[in-house]
């Protein structure tokens, strides 16, 4: 649809977009516009100067070159280039060796672990957990003893939660003896 054909002029000569009916039955209001107005849907999308230049340069080739477009570049090597090898410092050599060793180790580990499906836990791995549990039990027993001392001196009148805590003392001592 040609947008300019749908524009109309009012009695004073101003351009406007006439009211149109929406699908729900309501009407859009009159919209006054200036000469040369183009709706947003019909405007070209913005392209930066850099993007415009890149699009133009890709089709033109090398600026200032007027020869054939399909040309081959030839690399020249000299004896000096062949003799020069990059010199590595001690740190760089060590890092390179470690990198190679890491790759080899990772490959060997993958070969070894491919067949293993069951994970076996040893007692050595369980020791930190046991030590942690032991410390937790000692901490709870210490708290119970402090609460018992306060109750004995009359500082605190125990409520039902504190009485439950005091009753667990024997259970915690049994668990501690198991460790």
């Amino acid at each position: 649809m040609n947008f300019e054909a749908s524009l109309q002029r009012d009695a004073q000569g101003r351009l406007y977009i006439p009211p149109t009916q929406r699908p729900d039955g309501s009407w859009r209001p009159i919209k006054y516009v200036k000469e040369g107005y183009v709706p947003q849907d019909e405007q070209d999308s913005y392209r930066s100067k850099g993007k415009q230049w890149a699009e133009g340069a890709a089709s033109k080739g090398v600026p200032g070159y007027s020869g054939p477009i399909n040309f081959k570049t030839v690399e020249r090597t000299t004896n000096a280039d062949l003799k020069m090898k990059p010199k590595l410092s001690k740190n760089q050599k060590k890092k390179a060796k470690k990198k190679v060793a890491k790759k080899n180790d990772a490959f060997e580990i993958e070969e070894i672990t491919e067949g293993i499906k069951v994970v076996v836990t040893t007692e050595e791995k369980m020791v930190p957990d046991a030590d942690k549990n032991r410390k937790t039990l000692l901490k709870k027993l210490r708290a119970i003893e402090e609460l018992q001392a306060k109750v004995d001196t009359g500082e605190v009148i125990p409520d039902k939660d504190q009485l439950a805590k005091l009753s667990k003392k024997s259970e915690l001592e049994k668990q501690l003896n198991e460790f």
Side-chain angles (χ1 to χ4, degrees):
M1 178 178 145
N2 188 359
F3 175 74
E4 292 176 8
S6 66
L7 291 178
Q8 296 179 3
R9 293 195 181 270
D10 64 357
Q12 289 102 8
R14 297 183 298 178
L15 275 177
Y16 69 92
I17 300 171
T20 55
Q21 192 170 15
R22 296 185 182 111
D24 67 352
S26 62
W27 287 87
R28 293 181 185 88
I30 294 175
K31 184 175 180 181
Y32 288 95
V33 295
K34 294 181 180 179
E35 291 285 338
Y37 172 78
V38 178
Q40 190 172 4
D41 294 343
E42 295 182 14
Q43 291 178 357
D44 291 335
S45 61
Y46 175 76
R47 288 183 8 221
S48 67
K49 296 276 184 187
K51 192 169 187 176
Q52 291 174 4
W53 179 82
E55 289 171 357
S59 63
K60 293 178 186 175
V62 179
Y65 181 73
S66 60
I69 295 176
N70 297 331
F71 61 92
K72 295 180 181 178
T73 58
V74 178
E75 282 189 35
R76 295 183 185 174
T77 56
T78 62
N79 288 339
D81 292 336
L82 295 174
K83 289 179 185 176
M84 293 179 64
K85 292 182 181 177
K87 294 183 180 180
L88 300 176
S89 68
K90 286 183 181 179
N91 272 345
Q92 289 172 333
K93 288 177 186 177
K94 284 181 184 178
K95 286 180 183 178
K97 284 182 183 178
K98 284 182 182 178
K99 204 175 199 180
V100 170
K102 252 188 187 178
K103 286 181 183 177
N104 291 339
D105 288 346
F107 182 70
E108 289 175 12
I109 290 170
E110 286 176 12
E111 285 180 350
I112 293 169
T113 57
E114 276 181 356
I116 299 175
K117 292 184 180 177
V118 179
V119 178
V120 179
T121 58
T122 62
E123 290 182 25
E124 294 174 6
K125 291 183 180 178
M126 300 301 280
V127 171
D129 291 338
D131 190 41
K132 185 177 179 182
N133 290 340
R134 186 176 154 279
K135 286 181 180 180
T136 307
L137 289 173
L138 287 172
K139 185 177 179 181
K140 287 180 181 179
L141 282 172
R142 222 176 303 124
I144 290 172
E145 289 171 2
E146 288 174 8
L147 179 62
Q148 185 66 46
K150 288 181 181 179
V151 169
D152 292 342
T153 59
E155 290 180 42
V156 175
I157 299 171
D159 61 358
K160 65 177 184 177
D161 292 334
Q162 290 172 331
L163 289 173
K165 188 174 188 178
L166 290 171
S167 67
K168 291 182 182 179
K169 182 177 181 179
S170 60
E171 293 175 23
L172 293 175
E173 287 174 344
K174 285 179 186 177
Q175 288 179 4
L176 186 62
N177 289 336
E178 289 175 6
F179 284 113

